[in-house]
Amino acid sequence: MKVLSHFSLLCLVCISTSSCQKAFLEKKPNQALTVPTTLTDLRTLLDNNDDLNQAPYLTTTCTDDIYTTKDGLLAAGSIVSNSYLWEKDVYEGQPQADWNRPYQQVFYANVVLEGLEKLTGPDKGTAEFLNLQGSALFIRALAFYHLAQEFALPFDPATASLTPGIPLRLATDVNVRSKRGTLLQTYTQIVKDLEAAKDLLPLSAAFKTRPTKPAALALLARVLQTMQIYDQAAEAATKCLKSNGSLIDYNTLDVSAYRAFPRAIPNGNVEVLYFTPLINVDFLDFPTLTAIDSTLYRSYDEHDLRKTLFFRQWDGYVTFKGNYSGNAAVFGGLATDEVYLIRAECYARMGNITLAMKDLNELLKNRIIKTAFSPLKAANVEEALMLILAERRKELVFRNTRWTDLRRLNQDSRFAVTLLRHIDGQEYRLPPGDRRYTFPIPDDEIRNSGIEQNPR
């Protein structure tokens, strides 16, 4: 079988991306398109990093990590501006990549899974076969998870079985009508895909753009944390860190460099488990548009190396200068530092303060100037949680996790916050539990597929 060209592979999914005039989930494929039928074909499809290794970006623009001015919003465009100000109408009738791209990734994954199911001969059941199967399940789970953080309500264990979820496309047949189901069904499918993927994937990969067993375990820990199943999240985190618990000692980095972190691609950054940049980085990466929240910046101690590695002074503002990617891409993937923080929080919530603080200090000793490092201590569970969550925010700034954290932590009055914006003399507020913590589904999708819209 002749290997598919990159053009043919792109044609295969053009039903999902080339036209914005019809609902994404209801597009009909061109039956004349070539379908991948060999392991080589399927591998080529999953190595399309430009489409598969991208994460949604709007959930980063609307957090309390950043601020901008009226001029910054004008330069950013209407969708980013509306997201930043938590407006009711975010898209103004425009197509939305944060919806379309993850469902494109789901389509890719389903093409591969169906191709593997139909495969016969000596390739079936080989290591590459299992790797591809695990990779497709991982990619689908990650896409579903990203969609759930933006287009479904925050996960509440008490109401998840009654709350609308996202459409779960588990096959390429677009004649199957989309429906939302429940939020519990959404997360159950994500966990199911990851449980299967972790047992199929290898411990390492030639490139960090390919899924691995540690990456699947890291994502599983993140999902279970979001579901507030802390004991199982800690278990997944432990298995991940046993496979790969590497941390960068920030004392070895050049704090004066503009891009101080080793490039994640192909394999420069030992902490990165799965490389995924955000879809749109212009608003986030340009210092003329985006500045760091001053309260957040002041929370870093003078001996904290992250203060100079993450940020720089620019024309009177503090701006983010990047991490993990080693270039202009804003990192939205999976890394070991997050896994340490997940396990630390889970241990604290389970009442094991000793192990919780051990994990936190293991991370911090690699972030603080060595001569100034002193292990943090907590007298009780609440104090441990406060310390861990404060460090979580500082460590994971610009990592596409803050929006989910706000949605989860706002359910607990101890950690709930009201977000504020001030633009052109007007104040904008986003209180805990507000409906605007869930984005509207794009208008064209509602119009053409008939699925239920999110109240906002």
Side-chain angles (χ1 to χ4, degrees):
M1 173 63 67
K2 182 179 179 181
V3 177
L4 288 176
S5 69
H6 182 62
F7 175 78
S8 296
L9 291 172
L10 291 180
C11 285
L12 178 64
V13 294
C14 72
I15 62 168
S16 308
T17 58
S18 63
S19 172
C20 299
Q21 303 307 310
K22 295 182 66 178
F24 182 90
L25 297 180
E26 307 306 318
K27 288 191 183 297
K28 302 298 187 289
N30 180 346
Q31 298 301 322
L33 294 176
T34 306
V35 177
T37 56
T38 71
L39 294 185
T40 303
D41 294 345
L42 297 171
R43 170 57 70 190
T44 303
L45 188 61
L46 289 189
D47 279 343
N48 184 2
N49 303 330
D50 289 344
D51 292 327
L52 292 180
N53 294 85
Q54 287 197 335
Y57 74 103
L58 285 182
T59 49
T60 300
T61 66
C62 53
T63 71
D64 53 351
D65 286 348
I66 63 172
Y67 75 90
T68 190
T69 63
K70 180 181 178 180
D71 289 341
L73 290 183
L74 288 173
S78 61
I79 291 180
V80 170
S81 177
N82 292 334
S83 173
Y84 180 84
L85 297 176
W86 315 301
E87 298 285 7
K88 183 177 181 179
D89 183 3
V90 179
Y91 319 121
E92 299 182 3
Q94 300 177 64
Q96 181 43 41
D98 276 21
W99 174 270
N100 290 344
R101 184 55 56 84
Y103 275 115
Q104 177 191 1
Q105 294 163 355
V106 169
F107 184 83
Y108 270 88
N110 288 334
V111 167
V112 171
L113 291 171
E114 291 175 8
L116 291 171
E117 187 175 348
K118 296 174 183 176
L119 192 68
T120 59
D123 287 337
K124 195 173 185 68
T126 62
E128 176 67 354
F129 178 99
L130 298 177
N131 189 339
L132 288 167
Q133 188 177 36
S135 296
L137 290 168
F138 173 92
I139 288 165
R140 188 170 72 181
L142 181 57
F144 282 153
Y145 178 78
H146 283 152
L147 287 160
Q149 306 322 297
E150 194 164 342
F151 300 105
L153 288 170
F155 190 93
D156 181 344
T159 60
S161 62
L162 303 173
T163 303
I166 60 167
L168 294 173
R169 301 296 297 189
L170 304 180
T172 59
D173 184 1
V174 295
N175 293 307
V176 178
R177 190 165 182 81
S178 301
K179 59 181 181 178
R180 294 189 63 172
T182 69
L183 192 59
L184 182 59
Q185 289 172 331
T186 294
Y187 278 83
T188 298
Q189 183 63 51
I190 294 169
V191 171
K192 180 181 178 181
D193 281 353
L194 290 174
E195 288 285 0
K198 69 180 176 58
D199 294 329
L200 296 167
L201 290 166
L203 287 173
S204 62
F207 308 100
K208 290 183 182 290
T209 51
R210 291 181 177 178
T212 61
K213 181 182 182 73
L217 287 165
L219 180 55
L220 181 60
R222 181 193 283 184
V223 172
L224 292 168
Q225 179 194 44
T226 305
M227 297 175 73
Q228 303 172 43
I229 308 176
Y230 295 113
D231 56 341
Q232 293 182 33
E235 182 181 354
T238 296
K239 291 178 180 178
C240 172
L241 294 174
K242 282 183 178 179
S243 298
N244 184 348
S246 301
L247 289 170
I248 297 173
D249 183 353
Y250 283 12
N251 287 274
T252 65
L253 301 179
D254 181 3
V255 296
S256 65
Y258 181 58
R259 304 290 186 194
F261 288 85
R263 288 181 176 268
I265 301 299
N267 281 302
N269 189 319
V270 297
E271 292 189 12
V272 171
L273 298 171
Y274 185 69
F275 179 76
T276 307
L278 302 192
I279 292 172
N280 183 342
V281 301
D282 288 353
F283 178 69
L284 300 172
D285 191 56
F286 278 67
T288 55
L289 299 181
T290 313
I292 293 299
D293 178 79
S294 57
T295 302
L296 172 60
Y297 180 70
R298 289 194 298 270
S299 70
Y300 294 84
D301 184 84
E302 62 178 332
H303 302 297
D304 192 331
L305 293 163
R306 294 172 295 190
K307 194 167 189 175
T308 48
L309 287 167
F310 288 0
F311 311 111
R312 65 167 179 155
Q313 301 283 341
W314 192 90
D315 197 26
Y317 296 96
V318 177
T319 65
F320 184 73
K321 68 177 184 179
N323 64 358
Y324 286 99
S325 298
N327 54 30
V330 178
F331 181 78
L334 297 158
T336 56
D337 61 337
E338 180 190 352
V339 182
Y340 277 100
L341 288 164
I342 289 173
R343 191 170 70 172
E345 180 185 339
C346 292
Y347 279 152
R349 292 184 181 277
M350 293 160 63
N352 197 327
I353 300 172
T354 300
L355 287 181
M357 299 310 294
K358 181 181 178 182
D359 272 347
L360 183 61
N361 286 312
E362 179 65 25
L363 174 68
L364 291 180
K365 76 178 184 181
N366 289 284
R367 301 309 191 238
I368 309 300
I369 295 173
K370 285 192 178 298
T371 55
F373 174 71
S374 179
L376 296 181
K377 298 178 181 180
N380 52 54
V381 167
E382 185 159 349
E383 186 176 338
L385 276 175
M386 290 292 185
L387 289 170
I388 292 164
L389 293 175
E391 291 302 327
R392 179 177 174 85
R393 188 180 179 199
K394 289 190 284 185
E395 178 70 17
L396 302 181
V397 62
F398 267 61
R399 294 275 292 275
N400 206 30
T401 58
R402 179 61 177 166
W403 185 249
T404 295
D405 283 348
L406 287 166
R407 286 163 38 109
R408 176 172 63 94
L409 297 173
N410 277 342
Q411 298 176 45
D412 187 332
S413 60
R414 295 175 298 172
F415 310 120
V417 296
T418 295
L419 306 190
L420 299 174
R421 307 284 202 210
H422 294 91
I423 296 290
D424 201 23
Q426 183 173 348
E427 182 179 85
Y428 299 81
R429 300 171 63 90
L430 185 67
D434 195 281
R435 286 181 172 181
R436 290 170 295 171
Y437 268 105
T438 304
F439 277 68
I441 294 171
D443 298 333
D444 60 341
E445 198 64 66
I446 297 295
R447 186 169 54 251
N448 290 282
S449 69
I451 58 176
E452 177 184 353
Q453 180 60 282
N454 296 318
R456 188 164 166 90

